Amino acid sequence: MQTLRPMPGPGPTLQQPVTITARNLDADTSIGAHSHPWGQLTYAVNGVIRVNANNSSWIVPPQRAIWIAPGIDHEVTMLEPAYLSPLRIHAEREPFNGEKCRVVEVSGLLRELIAAMGDPQLAPQRAALIGELVLDELARAPTRPIRVPLPQDKRLKSLCEALIGSPGATQTLEHWSREVGASERTLARLFEKELGMTFGQWRQQVRLAHAAPMIARGMPLWQVAQQLGYASQSAFTAMFRKTFGSTPSAFFADQQGA
């Protein structure tokens, strides 16, 4: 894993409240934990990224982006080669009324506006106008988060990091208790106390988070189910419907039409 520093570039001003930096990054590259005095819309034009912020983790395909408020520590890891294009937004122009983190759907218009912001020949006056359109579109963007909360306890954190890295793992909590040096009962209690859910519920969130980019890339549902440790496609679809109220196909059709 290669860890890089945030990319230097112009910060936003009240005259130009939205600026952009962009670069191609290889898989297994990480932008180490850091924060900014401005807010950031973390977005990759292509590829899939993982964002850790505010004691949570998100798997982010190109159809989504994550708002991170000013001053919030965050880390970004490339799960695939990605063209990372984060928007920097002035603290006084936050689009989400002080929310620390928010997942948004990236509409076709927002995607084109971000592309326009990245034009190196863009005049400052035009950049400011496009930035205002970006802020307006962001405020209207729907959100469908698949948030994976992260723990503070070191033993539980070790378990969770392993499962995020291998979402299809089927080992029981008893197995993980031996791996991390804590009893099964202790781990079960920590899941409830720190994450507000059972081990099974948390693992389900991890699998659904990984499912989103797989489905968005067009991977067959049977293959998604297989890679994520489900016994069958129907078992995966049933769990997806229970969580989101629709089948995976209908869910992503709705996203593409948003």
Side-chain angles (χ1 to χ4, degrees), residues 57-58 83 108-109 115 122 181 195 211:
S57 182
W58 293 268
Y83 187 60
L109 175 57
L122 190 64
L195 304 177

Side-chain angles (χ1 to χ4, degrees), residues 181-203:
S183 70
E184 183 178 357
R185 180 177 295 180
T186 296
L187 290 177
R189 186 174 67 249
L190 286 170
F191 266 102
E192 294 282 359
K193 179 182 177 182
E194 291 206 17
L195 304 177
M197 61 184 75
T198 66
F199 167 70
Q201 290 168 334
W202 186 87
R203 182 167 60 183

Side-chain angles (χ1 to χ4, degrees), residues 67 72 153 174 207:
W67 162 255
I72 299 295
D153 182 271
E174 180 184 5
R207 289 174 171 178

